[in-house]
Amino acid sequence: MFRRTFWFTAGAAAGVWATTKVNRKIKQLTPESLAAQAANKAIDAGHRLKDFALDVRDGMAQREAELGEALGLEHDPDAELPAQRRVVAIENHKLIAAKQDKKNPNSTYENGSYTYNRNEDH
């Protein structure tokens, strides 16, 4: 009788353990849980990528300082950058096109871009 009680209790404990394990796995495989796991992994990958980029930037600054020292160049990192230059060619192109439109009303330049007329070449 004691033997039967032991095996009954062992079987019940194994059943409870297996049921708990299966339920945990089912909860891990729900769409919400999978989405949360993917989001966490993406955040972790982003943090690792950011740390890598910071390490690369530090290494670049260190190597630049070493090269500047070796070449005798003095570089002030706090110095201001030169003023940003404007792209004058694009502005001049628009002005020239506008002047051509006034001279020649049949121009193929419309709304800042050229149109293609297949009969134009014939």
Side-chain angles (χ1 to χ4, degrees):
M1 173 115 166
F2 181 70
R3 203 180 266 179
R4 286 183 184 173
T5 306
F6 170 77
W7 286 114
F8 176 77
T9 306
V16 169
W17 176 79
T19 303
T20 305
K21 191 123 176 127
V22 167
N23 284 338
R24 283 185 191 159
K25 189 54 88 173
I26 288 173
K27 286 181 184 178
Q28 284 180 352
L29 296 176
T30 61
E32 295 85 13
S33 178
L34 291 174
Q37 289 174 10
N40 288 339
K41 288 183 181 183
I43 290 171
D44 289 342
H47 288 305
R48 279 188 254 121
L49 186 62
K50 181 181 175 186
D51 291 341
F52 174 72
L54 291 174
D55 289 344
V56 168
R57 183 180 294 167
D58 290 342
M60 285 172 38
Q62 180 182 359
R63 183 64 178 149
E64 185 177 348
E66 290 172 1
L67 290 173
E69 205 174 286
L71 296 173
L73 302 174
E74 291 187 24
H75 174 67
D76 184 14
D78 295 329
E80 290 187 26
L81 294 174
Q84 190 175 21
R85 293 183 285 176
R86 297 178 67 190
V87 180
V88 180
I90 294 174
E91 293 172 2
N92 287 342
H93 180 68
K94 289 180 181 178
L95 290 174
I96 291 169
K99 288 179 185 177
Q100 287 176 351
D101 284 344
K102 289 179 185 175
K103 291 178 184 175
N104 183 5
N106 296 325
S107 174
T108 59
Y109 187 80
E110 294 177 4
N111 299 328
S113 64
Y114 287 99
T115 60
Y116 177 70
N117 182 357
R118 66 185 190 134
N119 294 324
E120 182 177 74
D121 297 333
H122 301 295

